[in-house]
Amino acid sequence: MPNATLKRHKTSIAEYDALTEMGFFDGLSVELIEGDIVEKMPQSENHAVVVALVSKVLGRAFSPDFHVRNQSPLALEDSKPEPDVAVVEGTERDYLASHPTTAVLVVEVAQTTLETDREIKSSLYAKAGIAEYWIVNLVENQLEVRRQPVAMPSAVYGFGYSSILILQSGQTVSPLGASHAQIAIADLLP
């Protein structure tokens, strides 16, 4: 058999949205990551509970000038990820015509997707200039706080975070966008 190189077609957000409108992805759980349509993992009970806990805690921490979105798209340059939780400026009605293009905080809850969230999603969110990215790590029962996006040639998409804090139950964290709030790490874990 000849050695053939597969050609990949990168999908734009416009093409992805058109396919979604036509019902092409009905019944599938997918997101657009740097032009690739990627199937999302099904949620475990633990995962769903932690998403709800994180949303509730962040809703209390941030002022009414922000709102918390659960598993809803962000329209980034070549991507349309659906983070588990994102805190964005404004109200829900501000996004009737289009999805937010950034967030002040993005949170992924990771159990089976830990390496993907650390490598791919981290680089993606850093590339988009998202100042703060948290991973609720259910494998090691801790919170990974990533801040200060910078160019990082070794990262998947050429960007990463220069500051990574690992926080355990018994510690607290203050989100950059709500520095007055002291969030107990235990409140974010199952």
Side-chain angles (χ1 to χ4, degrees):
M1 175 173 272
N3 184 2
T5 302
L6 295 176
K7 288 187 177 183
R8 296 175 66 181
H9 171 74
K10 290 290 191 178
T11 302
S12 69
I13 287 179
E15 291 171 326
Y16 178 77
D17 287 346
L19 290 169
T20 301
E21 289 286 321
M22 293 185 315
F24 190 79
F25 304 120
D26 285 356
L28 298 175
S29 181
V30 296
E31 59 189 343
L32 182 67
I33 305 295
E34 289 295 295
D36 292 322
I37 298 168
V38 179
E39 191 168 0
K40 293 170 39 174
M41 296 291 293
Q43 282 190 38
S44 68
E45 293 81 358
N46 253 5
H47 186 278
V49 167
V50 173
V51 168
L53 290 171
V54 170
S55 297
K56 186 176 182 179
V57 168
L58 293 178
R60 289 191 308 250
F62 280 83
S63 77
D65 296 333
F66 297 92
H67 78 276
V68 177
R69 293 168 55 99
N70 291 343
Q71 299 165 337
S72 296
L74 292 175
L76 307 180
E77 186 178 332
D78 295 317
S79 302
K80 212 166 186 182
E82 297 180 8
D84 288 319
V85 180
V87 180
V88 300
E89 289 188 40
T91 69
E92 293 82 355
R93 287 188 176 89
D94 290 335
Y95 300 102
L96 287 171
S98 63
H99 293 295
T101 57
T102 192
V104 296
L105 172 61
V106 168
V107 182
E108 294 287 1
V109 176
Q111 192 161 12
T112 59
T113 61
L114 185 57
E115 289 309 310
T116 298
D117 292 336
R118 283 180 173 161
E119 304 298 324
I120 295 171
K121 294 284 184 83
S122 182
S123 187
L124 177 71
Y125 297 138
K127 179 182 178 189
I130 293 171
E132 187 167 27
Y133 169 51
W134 293 0
I135 300 172
V136 180
N137 177 339
L138 299 180
V139 175
E140 296 160 312
N141 222 33
Q142 63 191 19
L143 178 68
E144 300 179 15
V145 177
R146 295 164 189 263
R147 295 177 172 159
Q148 301 169 353
V150 295
M152 195 175 284
S154 62
V156 176
Y157 301 120
F159 290 83
Y161 289 92
S162 64
S163 172
I164 301 174
L165 304 169
I166 307 297
L167 301 172
Q168 310 291 331
S169 187
Q171 294 180 289
T172 62
V173 65
S174 295
L176 294 176
S179 58
H180 65 281
Q182 289 290 315
I183 297 172
I185 304 308
D187 291 347
L188 304 173
L189 298 170

